[in-house]
Amino acid sequence: EDYYMVTPSAMTFWGHPKIGSFQAPEEGVGRIHYSPADPEMRKDWMTRIQRILQAVPGKANGKVKFAKGQSASSWPLVQGEEMVYVNTVGPRFETRAEIRSYRGIGHVVGMTAGNEWMLCEELQVPYFLLCCCDNACNGLSKHPQGALQEYLDNKQVVADVTAAVVYQLVDGLTNDPP
């Protein structure tokens, strides 16, 4: 439902001629970057996406593992809590200290999606982030060979679940009007 940029960078469409720029023109009126969050639009999208994706856990042959707070009836949402995605700088695994520090900020850590989310909100394009976790974070993994091996072991499962999600979304968004 929200995101945290570990190293925010200037990412905007405001420099586009049809949108405007940050620079104040000679008349002295400038623009402020703002990423609007429309709670009603987000709620409607979350409900629609959840309805469309309800069949995925069954189609994925037991490969979907629910996060804390999830169930087959709530998936892919986590009920009762606003989820925060922590967008880090990659490509690399985060350090153990970084992961410990992010615990108080967010729920899922990744290297992608934050910039896209920001741009979509700026243009008021509905955006829904579905996370497929492939490891328990560097230093937190209980895998006997560590986080890298855990990631390698889970690549095919993540690919299978992601494919099921994409196919279901394409079909659902095409055939299930808002």
Side-chain angles (χ1 to χ4, degrees):
E1 294 177 349
D2 208 349
Y3 61 96
Y4 174 86
M5 296 292 286
V6 172
T7 307
S9 58
M11 176 63 67
T12 183
F13 281 121
W14 283 109
H16 190 279
K18 291 183 178 179
I19 294 175
S21 73
F22 283 116
Q23 304 301 322
E26 289 183 26
E27 302 88 53
V29 177
R31 297 184 186 265
I32 296 174
H33 172 79
Y34 170 66
S35 292
D38 182 341
E40 287 305 311
M41 181 188 294
R42 182 171 285 146
K43 181 180 175 187
D44 292 345
W45 261 99
M46 288 171 59
T47 302
R48 184 172 181 212
I49 297 297
Q50 181 183 22
R51 181 179 67 244
I52 290 170
L53 293 179
Q54 278 295 295
V56 170
K59 290 181 177 181
N61 301 320
K63 293 179 181 178
V64 172
K65 294 182 181 176
F66 300 121
K68 182 180 177 183
Q70 282 182 322
S71 66
S73 63
S74 70
W75 193 86
L77 305 177
V78 177
Q79 298 297 320
E81 189 168 355
E82 180 179 299
M83 300 302 291
V84 175
Y85 176 84
V86 178
N87 194 109
T88 62
V89 178
R92 66 173 180 80
F93 285 120
E94 297 77 19
T95 68
R96 292 179 303 279
E98 287 171 329
I99 292 300
R100 285 192 306 269
S101 73
Y102 301 150
R103 282 182 174 168
I105 298 170
H107 301 85
V108 178
V109 176
M111 294 176 266
T112 58
N115 290 325
E116 293 86 348
W117 194 334
M118 186 184 316
L119 293 172
C120 286
E121 282 195 340
E122 186 173 283
L123 296 174
Q124 297 185 356
V125 173
Y127 191 82
F128 191 91
L129 182 62
L130 293 168
C131 298
C132 293
C133 298
D134 52 31
N135 69 73
C137 297
N138 188 31
L140 303 180
S141 174
K142 296 190 185 331
H143 192 283
Q145 285 85 38
L148 177 58
Q149 190 59 49
E150 180 181 26
Y151 164 75
L152 294 171
D153 290 351
N154 289 325
K155 278 176 53 173
Q156 189 59 53
V157 170
V158 170
D160 293 346
V161 171
T162 301
V165 166
V166 170
Y167 285 122
Q168 192 70 28
L169 281 174
V170 168
D171 181 59
L173 292 172
T174 303
N175 299 312
D176 182 10

